[in-house]
Amino acid sequence: MNQPTTTISKSSPTAKGPAELWEAIKTIVSLQNQAPPLVSVSRDEALPLSFTQERLWFLDRLTGSNAAYNIPFALQIKGDLDIKALERSFKEIICRHEALQTNFTSVEDNPVQSVDPDKSQNWSLTVRQLPQLPPSEREAEIQKLCVEEAQTPFDLSCDALLRATLVELDNSEYLLLVTVHHIVFDGWSEGVFWRELAELYRAFGNGQTSPLTALPVQYADFAVWQRQWLEGEILDHLLDYWRGQLGNNLPELELPIDRPKTAKSTRPSASYQQTLPATLTEKLKTLSRQEGATLFALLLAAFKVLLYRYTEQDNLFVCSPIANRNRKELKNLIGYFVNLLILRSDLSDKMGFSELLGQVRQTVSGAYAHQDLPVQQLINSLDLGQSPLSQVMFVLQNTVQQTPKLANLEVRSRQVDSGTADFDLSLSMSESEGTLIGVWKYNTDLFAESTITKMDEHFQLLLEQIAADPTQSLASLLVLTEDELQELRAKRANYRLKPEVEGVKVKPRNPLELQLMRVWEQILGSDRLGVTDNFFEVGGSSLLAFRLIAEIEQTFGKKLPLTTLIQAPTIEQLAEVLRQGSDPISSSWLTPQKPDSSRLPFFCIAPAGNSGMGFAPIVLHLGDDQPFYVPQALGLEGETEPHNSVEDMAAHYIKEIRAIQPEGPYLLGGRCFGGIVAFEMALQLSRQGQKVALLALIDGALPPHVYLEMRNRDGSIKSKSLADLWRSFVFFCRSGQLLTILGYKYTKLVKRIRKQKAKQQQAPDPALKNVKKVFRSHLQARADYLPQGTFSGKIDIYASETLRIDQQDEWNKLVDGGVEYHFIGGRHDTIDREPHVRVLAAKLRESMDKAQSMFASSSNLSESGNS
C-alpha cells in the first residue's frame, strides 16, 4: 500500500513568475499582431452586439428599463450661447457615430443592433426655462432637475440613447443636462464627445462646415470583428491565462457593512470626496518611480492592504476598468469598449509592502496584456456565474476629467449621479493641480457615511505609512485598536446574514392553488407563504417533503414521485403538475435537465433514510451545467422493501448509474451514511474494471473498518474494554452522528408533546412510517458492513467542524491514494445549508473540475499513444 498523504485544500490562483509572465505577454502580443483587419462590414444583414453590449442588454431585459446604466453630465454655462449651433453640433456628433444612432432589439431571442441613420435628423435639443425663484429655492430646483434627468430610464429598443436638455436660468446663464446610456458610451467616449462638441460648436457658430475628418469604421464593425477574432488560439490563450490567475471560484469579501443586504435593494448610491495633501501626493509619485511601478499599481496595492485589514481575508480581488482600445481605428470612436479586469492578490502579515507591490505590479501587467477577453466571456467560460463581481472597484483616472471649452463661453462641470451604485464600494482617484483626489461611491443600503469617512481616514494614514517606509511588513501597517477591530468584526457579521426575502407575496389565484397553499401552511407551519415561494427556501426539508407528498396524495388523490419537488418546487408549479395530470419526471432520480453540458455527471448517495431532496441547496450552487444524480433508496415510498446490506445497495445503484453513464470515469459522492455506500460502489466499480475519478464524502460517517474491529468473524459484537468503548463513543460524537440522532429524537419528542397538548387524535403518518423503516434498515446495514479490499484511488472528505482530522489514519487504511480534506465549517446538520453550502459547492466543483481535467489529459495521452 502506498504511503498515505493528506492535503489541506485551499483555492488560490496559480501565480506566474516574471519569466512565465514575460512569455505569456510575448505570446499574446504575437497573437494580437495576427488579428484580422478591422474593416467596415455590410449593413444589409443583422448586426451582432459586442460582448459587453450583450451583457448590458441581457441585464436590461432581466430587470426592465431602469437608470442603473445611465451616464449623466451637467454643465453650467455663462455667456452668449448660440443654441442653434449647439443643437447642430449634437446632431452632427450623432450623425458621425453610429453607436448613437443604434437601438437594440431581438430576432428569435438573439439580440441585434439596429442602426437608424435618420436618428440624427430626428434628434432635437429640449429647451426649457426655470421659473423665477428666490436664490434659496433656485439651487434646490436645479438639483432636482439634475436628479430627475439622470434617473429617467431609456428604452433600448426605440429611444435615442443620447438626450440633452438646456435649461435657461436667465438671459446669459444656462444648465445643460446630457444623459447617455452606457451601452453606447464609456469613459473614453466622454473625451471624444466633449472634444468634438467644442470643435463643431466653434465651426458652426462661425458659419463654417464640420472640420472633423470621416471615421474609418463604426462600432458595429468592431462588434463583428470582435466575434470573429475572439475564437480559436487567441481565445484559448486568454482563457488559459485567466484560469491560471483566478481559478474557478473567487472569494467573496466580507465587508464591514452597517446594514445587511436585502433582496429588495435598488442599490442607491452616495459619494464622499477627499483630497490628499500635495506633499503626500508627490511622495507617492516619487515612490512609484523608485519601485519601478505605476502610480496605479502603488495605490491599488495600498487599497488592497486596507481591504485586508478590514476583512481579515488574505485572498481577495478588486475589479478595475480598462479602456480596451488597443487598435488605432478605435481611438476616436464613441461606443462601449471598456472592459473590467479582475485583479487578485494573496497577502500575509509577514509580507513587506514592497513585496506586495511587486506582486500587484506583475498582476496588473499581465492583466493589461490580456485585457481583450470581455469580462462576461470570462465569467461564462470559467464558471464564475455566482462570483461577487459587483463588490469592490478601484479606479485611477489617468486623464483629468474634461469640461468642453465652448467658444466665448464660461463652462463649469457640475457633479451629478445616476443614483445607483454599480458596486457595493468603489474608490475612484484622479490627479488635479498636483494633488490626488479620491471619490468613494457606496451603496447606502449597506454603508453609513460615517463608515466611509473612517475608511478614508484609514486609507490616508496607510498611504502616509507606506510613503515613509515601503519596506514595512503588512503586520505593521494600519495597526487597528482592539475597539476598532471588534467594531469591524461586528459589522462583518451583517455581511454573513442571509439576505432578507422581501417583496409582495403572490396570493392564490384559483381554487387549486388555494388548496395547495393550505397544505403548505400545515406542513411548514407558516401563514406567510406565496404561490411563487420555493419549498426549500421557506423551511422545507427532506423529511417535510415526504409529508408534503403524502398530504398531496391524500388531498388530491394523486401520488407524485418525491423528485417532483425538485422540478416543481412552488405552489404555482405544483398546481400546474396536478392540473395537467402528468408528472414532470418519471424516475426516482434527481435529474436536472442539462442537455448541452459536456461535464461528467455526479452521482451522490443520500444519508440513511433520506431522499435526494436534501441535496437541493448544493445543486443550486454547483452551476447550471453540472448534472447531479441521486438514486432514491428503495422503500421510501412504500413501493418495496428496503435494502438490508450496503453491498446490495451499491450493486443496485451501480446498475442504475451505468444505465445513464455506461462507462467510466465516474464521479461518486455521498453524504454521511451515503459516503459508505459510495465507497462500496467505488470498490465494486474498480473490480468491474471501471475508473472512479472522484470519491467525495460529504461529512462522511465513520470509516467502515471501525465497525469491522467491533465484530467477530461470525458477525457478533466483540466484547470491548471501557477504553475501546470510550474511543468509539468519541468517534461517534465527533462524526456528528450523535448530534443528528439526538436532534432527530428531540424533534420527535417536541412533535409528540405538541400533539398531546392539542389533543389531536391522528392516524399514523404512512410516509414517516416508511422513512423510519428505511432508516432502521440502513443503520443495520451500516453496522453489518465489512469492506472487502481497499480502494486504489484517494478520498476527498468535505468536513464540518464536528468531523476531525484524527479520523484520517482510519480512512487511510482503506485507500491507496490517501485522503484530501476540505474544511467547510458548520455542523454535521448545517454543512449543506446556507451559508456553508456555498463553500461546499465551490470546493466540490473544484474537485470535479480537477478530476475531469485529469481524465481529459489522460485520454489525450492515450489517443496520442494509439495513433
Side-chain angles (χ1 to χ4, degrees):
M1 185 179 295
N2 296 331
Q3 183 66 26
T5 60
T6 302
T7 304
I8 305 301
S9 175
K10 178 183 177 182
S11 175
S12 62
T14 304
K16 292 182 181 292
E20 293 177 288
L21 176 63
W22 177 239
E23 288 302 316
I25 291 177
K26 286 199 298 184
T27 301
I28 191 65
V29 170
S30 174
L31 291 170
Q32 288 168 343
N33 291 335
Q34 299 172 28
L38 175 52
V39 296
S40 181
V41 300
S42 171
R43 299 299 191 262
D44 295 334
E45 298 182 359
L47 296 169
L49 279 62
S50 70
F51 291 115
T52 48
Q53 283 183 325
E54 190 174 78
R55 176 173 174 264
L56 290 193
W57 181 81
F58 277 120
L59 289 173
D60 183 81
R61 287 282 294 265
L62 183 66
T63 61
S65 296
N66 59 65
Y69 292 97
N70 283 9
I71 302 177
F73 304 100
L75 301 178
Q76 290 189 263
I77 302 173
K78 286 185 179 181
D80 187 12
L81 177 64
D82 187 336
I83 298 178
K84 289 186 177 180
L86 181 65
E87 181 178 50
R88 185 180 172 192
S89 300
F90 272 104
K91 296 175 76 168
E92 178 64 21
I93 291 174
I94 295 171
C95 182
R96 279 175 54 77
H97 298 275
E98 277 189 359
L100 302 178
Q101 306 167 22
T102 303
N103 286 116
F104 301 88
T105 56
S106 61
V107 176
E108 296 180 353
D109 289 330
N110 294 314
V112 295
Q113 296 192 45
S114 175
V115 179
D116 180 6
D118 293 334
K119 269 248 184 330
S120 61
Q121 297 304 315
N122 299 330
W123 190 92
S124 62
L125 175 67
T126 300
V127 181
R128 57 186 296 186
Q129 290 184 329
L130 187 74
Q132 293 295 322
L133 294 168
S136 59
E137 297 179 18
R138 184 173 183 263
E139 177 60 27
E141 183 64 20
I142 290 175
Q143 182 61 27
K144 178 183 176 184
L145 290 175
C146 291
V147 172
E148 286 179 351
E149 172 59 29
Q151 296 184 1
T152 299
F154 290 97
D155 185 335
L156 298 185
S157 66
C158 59
D159 288 349
L161 299 184
L162 181 148
R163 61 173 181 255
T165 299
L166 183 68
V167 183
E168 296 182 351
L169 305 179
D170 56 33
N171 291 334
S172 61
E173 189 175 357
Y174 304 86
L175 176 68
L176 178 62
L177 302 175
V178 180
T179 310
V180 60
H181 198 283
H182 198 6
I183 201 169
V184 294
F185 204 85
D186 58 16
W188 186 290
S189 300
E190 179 186 349
V192 175
F193 181 80
W194 293 134
R195 183 175 66 250
E196 292 192 352
L197 185 71
E199 294 184 40
L200 291 168
Y201 179 78
R202 180 182 294 105
F204 295 156
N206 293 327
Q208 301 170 353
T209 58
S210 169
L212 303 177
T213 58
L215 296 166
V217 294
Q218 293 289 340
Y219 188 87
D221 302 318
F222 163 76
V224 173
W225 173 86
Q226 183 190 48
R227 290 180 177 273
Q228 291 173 343
W229 181 53
L230 282 181
E231 58 182 17
E233 188 178 2
I234 182 67
L235 181 60
D236 290 341
H237 177 80
L238 289 169
L239 288 174
D240 285 346
Y241 174 82
W242 286 107
R243 186 177 292 113
Q245 292 296 307
L246 306 177
N248 282 342
N249 300 288
L250 293 175
E252 187 170 7
L253 282 175
E254 292 186 0
L255 297 168
I257 57 178
D258 298 282
R259 292 172 286 273
K261 284 190 173 185
T262 68
K264 189 179 178 181
S265 174
T266 57
R267 305 182 69 85
S269 68
S271 298
Y272 175 78
Q273 180 173 311
Q274 185 60 276
T275 302
L276 296 182
T279 53
L280 176 57
T281 298
E282 187 56 38
K283 286 180 181 179
L284 293 171
K285 292 167 68 175
T286 301
L287 176 60
S288 67
R289 289 192 295 268
Q290 291 173 345
E291 294 285 334
T294 62
L295 183 60
F296 170 78
L298 175 67
L299 294 171
L300 174 61
F303 185 55
K304 288 194 172 186
V305 175
L306 178 73
L307 294 175
Y308 172 54
R309 194 62 75 228
Y310 266 54
T311 65
E312 297 184 281
Q313 292 173 250
D314 56 9
N315 187 343
L316 53 85
F317 76 94
V318 171
C319 293
S320 187
I322 191 166
N324 197 33
R325 296 183 185 232
N326 290 328
R327 301 185 65 89
K328 64 180 185 300
E329 301 95 332
L330 309 179
K331 302 299 183 184
N332 296 317
L333 268 184
I334 287 176
Y336 181 28
F337 297 92
V338 68
N339 196 16
L340 199 63
L341 301 181
I342 306 174
L343 306 173
R344 187 172 182 173
S345 297
D346 289 313
L347 302 87
S348 74
D349 278 352
K350 296 179 181 178
M351 176 185 291
F353 179 79
S354 292
E355 181 184 351
L356 172 63
L357 177 56
Q359 180 195 126
V360 170
R361 181 182 61 210
Q362 190 170 309
T363 299
V364 170
S365 297
Y368 282 178
H370 296 82
Q371 64 182 274
D372 296 294
L373 186 66
V375 69
Q376 191 59 46
Q377 295 299 101
L378 177 62
I379 292 170
N380 295 343
S381 300
L382 301 188
D383 300 321
L384 303 179
Q386 301 298 323
S387 298
L389 294 184
S390 61
Q391 280 190 282
V392 180
M393 181 172 73
F394 178 81
V395 186
L396 175 63
Q397 301 287 356
N398 52 14
T399 57
V400 179
Q401 188 168 359
Q402 302 181 43
T403 299
K405 294 178 170 54
L406 300 180
N408 305 315
L409 296 171
E410 180 185 335
V411 182
R412 182 168 59 89
S413 292
R414 181 188 180 101
Q415 289 294 328
V416 61
D417 196 332
S418 67
T420 302
D422 296 338
F423 287 76
D424 293 344
L425 177 70
S426 68
L427 174 58
S428 178
M429 303 194 75
S430 59
E431 187 178 357
S432 177
E433 300 179 354
T435 62
L436 282 169
I437 301 171
V439 177
W440 300 82
K441 186 173 181 179
Y442 56 96
N443 183 339
T444 55
D445 274 353
L446 304 181
F447 294 98
E449 184 179 7
S450 58
T451 297
I452 302 301
T453 57
K454 188 65 175 178
M455 190 177 291
D456 180 80
E457 291 173 10
H458 279 151
F459 187 55
Q460 183 167 332
L461 173 60
L462 182 59
L463 290 174
E464 290 170 348
Q465 293 175 332
I466 290 168
D469 181 8
T471 64
Q472 295 181 76
S473 69
L474 301 193
S476 62
L477 292 172
L478 193 62
V479 179
L480 303 177
T481 67
E482 188 61 31
D483 287 346
E484 288 175 322
L485 283 173
Q486 292 304 322
E487 182 181 4
L488 289 174
R489 288 166 182 163
K491 288 183 176 182
R492 289 204 302 270
N494 285 327
Y495 204 91
R496 290 189 288 271
L497 289 176
K498 186 176 180 180
E500 299 171 18
V501 179
E502 299 184 1
V504 179
K505 296 293 185 183
V506 181
K507 297 180 179 179
R509 295 156 295 193
N510 53 60
L512 183 55
E513 288 185 349
L514 180 61
Q515 277 184 291
L516 276 171
M517 175 72 79
R518 289 170 178 166
V519 173
W520 277 45
E521 289 175 346
Q522 176 186 344
I523 299 297
L524 295 171
S526 172
D527 58 359
R528 298 182 179 181
L529 301 172
V531 299
T532 59
D533 288 339
N534 187 300
F535 179 79
F536 298 101
E537 295 177 354
V538 291
S541 64
S542 181
L543 193 61
L544 292 178
F546 283 106
R547 295 189 58 197
L548 179 62
I549 293 298
E551 194 65 30
I552 287 176
E553 180 181 8
Q554 184 175 344
T555 304
F556 299 96
K558 182 173 180 60
K559 184 175 180 60
L560 300 176
L562 279 169
T563 41
T564 301
L565 278 179
I566 293 294
Q567 302 293 325
T570 69
I571 290 173
E572 181 183 55
Q573 293 166 329
L574 277 175
E576 186 63 22
V577 170
L578 293 170
R579 188 179 298 112
Q580 293 178 353
S582 61
D583 302 337
I585 54 176
S586 57
S587 74
S588 63
W589 289 75
L590 167 57
T591 316
Q593 307 214 349
K594 306 174 191 301
D596 299 327
S597 177
S598 60
R599 298 178 64 84
L600 290 172
F602 181 61
F603 301 96
C604 199
I605 313 302
N610 278 256
S611 71
M613 298 296 103
F615 290 115
I618 301 179
V619 174
L620 177 66
H621 291 292
L622 264 182
D624 292 336
D625 61 340
Q626 178 58 58
F628 192 112
Y629 295 85
V630 181
Q632 182 168 301
L634 294 184
L636 282 176
E637 299 184 54
E639 77 285 0
T640 185
E641 289 296 309
H643 284 113
N644 55 20
S645 79
V646 170
E647 292 88 343
D648 290 346
M649 208 176 304
H652 175 72
Y653 293 159
I654 286 174
K655 289 181 181 178
E656 293 198 325
I657 71 172
R658 295 196 70 175
I660 293 172
Q661 182 188 341
E663 299 293 327
Y666 292 99
L667 306 183
L668 302 180
R671 172 81 156 91
C672 193
F673 164 75
I676 299 301
V677 180
F679 175 79
E680 173 61 25
M681 291 172 67
L683 291 181
Q684 293 187 21
L685 283 168
S686 297
R687 289 195 288 268
Q688 295 170 17
Q690 296 297 320
K691 173 70 175 176
V692 177
L694 175 66
L695 179 53
L697 308 187
I698 302 173
D699 222 34
L702 293 176
H705 76 284
V706 171
Y707 284 90
L708 180 151
E709 295 170 356
M710 296 168 58
R711 308 189 72 82
N712 296 308
R713 288 184 177 273
D714 62 359
S716 61
I717 302 295
K718 290 181 180 179
S719 174
K720 304 197 70 172
S721 68
L722 185 60
D724 290 334
L725 291 172
W726 174 250
R727 183 171 67 90
S728 297
F729 179 74
V730 169
F731 272 131
F732 194 62
C733 293
R734 285 176 172 174
S735 72
Q737 294 181 73
L738 181 62
L739 292 175
T740 302
I741 293 176
L742 289 177
Y744 175 81
K745 291 184 176 297
Y746 175 77
T747 302
K748 295 299 296 177
L749 178 62
V750 169
K751 288 182 179 179
R752 186 182 307 163
I753 293 173
R754 286 176 178 171
K755 288 179 181 180
Q756 289 174 349
K757 286 185 176 180
K759 295 182 180 180
Q760 295 176 340
Q761 299 297 324
Q762 296 181 345
D765 189 329
L768 291 185
K769 181 180 179 181
N770 293 330
V771 172
K772 292 176 184 177
K773 184 176 182 180
V774 174
F775 182 73
R776 286 194 296 267
S777 179
H778 285 181
L779 288 185
Q780 185 61 46
R782 173 67 179 79
D784 293 339
Y785 177 50
L786 305 176
Q788 303 297 311
T790 59
F791 176 52
S792 59
K794 75 178 180 71
I795 293 178
D796 286 75
I797 295 182
Y798 305 82
S800 67
E801 295 170 352
T802 54
L803 184 66
R804 315 300 277 196
I805 200 168
D806 50 307
Q807 289 192 35
Q808 170 201 345
D809 291 337
E810 305 298 324
W811 273 114
N812 277 324
K813 296 175 183 177
L814 295 173
V815 296
D816 294 336
V819 180
E820 183 171 354
Y821 279 87
H822 309 263
F823 293 104
I824 307 302
R827 303 186 309 275
H828 182 71
D829 58 335
T830 63
I831 187 175
D832 53 3
R833 295 295 179 266
E834 294 285 359
H836 311 294
V837 68
R838 296 174 184 268
V839 180
L840 172 60
K843 290 186 179 292
L844 188 57
R845 174 91 183 198
E846 186 177 352
S847 297
M848 292 177 185
D849 290 341
K850 185 177 179 181
Q852 295 196 126
S853 176
M854 291 177 64
F855 169 70
S857 299
S858 62
S859 296
N860 291 337
L861 287 174
S862 176
E863 291 172 5
S864 176
N866 291 335
S867 63

